Amino acid sequence: MAVSGAVLVLYLFAHMIGNLKIFVGQADFDHYAHWLRELGAPVLPHQWGLWMVRIGLTVAVIAHIVSATILAVRARKARPVKYAHRPKVQGSYAARTMRWGGVIILLFVIYHILDLTTGTVHPDFAHGEVYNNVVADFAPERWYVTLFYVVSVVAVGFHLRHGIWSAVRTLGQQSARGQRIARAVALAVSVVLTAGFLSVPFAVMTGLVG
Ligand code: HEM
C-alpha cells in the first residue's frame, strides 16, 4: 500500500509541476506536452518513454487497489462481530473516507484521461494543443466540469493527507516525535499538491490564463 502510494505521489508531484508550466505561456506548455512524448529520446523511440510511465502507473494503481482490498478483508476477519456501538474514532472515519475517496479519484482519473488525453468527452479537443484544451475545459459555461475537477482534486488532497501519514507510519519510526513529523509532512505535501493543481482551473476561471 505504502510503496505503490509513494510511486503515485511522485507522479502527482511531477504532473502538478508540469501543469504549472501553463503560467509560462501557451508555446511552453504545448512544447512540454510534446517533450513528454519524446521522453527518453534519442535512446527510446517516439512515445516509448511515455508508455513506460503509463505502464508503471497502471501497475502502481492496481497494486494500490489490491493491497487496499487485502487490508480491508484482513481488518474484517480480525473483527468478525460488528461493534454494537461504533465510536466515531479517527480510525474508522479515515478508513471510510479513504475508501470512498479512492473510488471518486479512480472515476475522476478515468474521466480525466477521456477528457484531456484522448479528447473523447472534450467538446473542442485538438491533439497537441494542450493549452487550448485546458482553457476550453474550464470555460465559464462548463462550470460543472470545473466543479468536478475541484471536488476531485480536494478528494485527492484528503486522500493524500491520511495516506501519507499512514505510509510514514508503516515505513518509518513510530515514536511520538516520528508521528508528529509524519502528520506535518502529510499536511504539507497534500496542501502543496492541492493548491498547485487547483491553481490551473482558478487561473482559467479568473482569466489569468486564457
Ligand atoms: C486541475 C488539475 C489537473 C489538470 C489541469 C490536469 C491536466 C492534464 C492534462 C492537460 C493532461 C494531458 C497531458 C498531455 O496529453 O500531454 C493530463 C493527463 C493526465 N493526468 Fe492530469 N490534470 C489535473 C489533475 C490530475 C490529477 C489530480 C490526477 C490524478 C489523480 C491526474 C492524472 C492524470 C493522468 C493519469 C494523465 C494521463 C497521462 C497519460 O497517460 O498521458 N491529473 N492532465
Side-chain angles (χ1 to χ4, degrees), residues 93-115:
Y93 172 75
R96 271 203 309 276
T97 49
M98 287 312 271
R99 265 170 229 169
W100 283 108
V103 172
I104 292 171
I105 295 164
L106 183 63
L107 292 177
F108 164 74
V109 171
I110 295 169
Y111 175 83
H112 182 48
I113 290 175
L114 293 174
D115 183 27

Side-chain angles (χ1 to χ4, degrees), residues 11-12 15 19 33 37 54 108-109 112 116-117 130 134 197 201:
Y11 171 75
L12 281 179
H15 187 19
N19 280 358
R37 274 123 187 113
R54 285 172 175 164
F108 164 74
V109 171
H112 182 48
L116 286 172
T117 302
V130 189
V134 171
F197 275 119

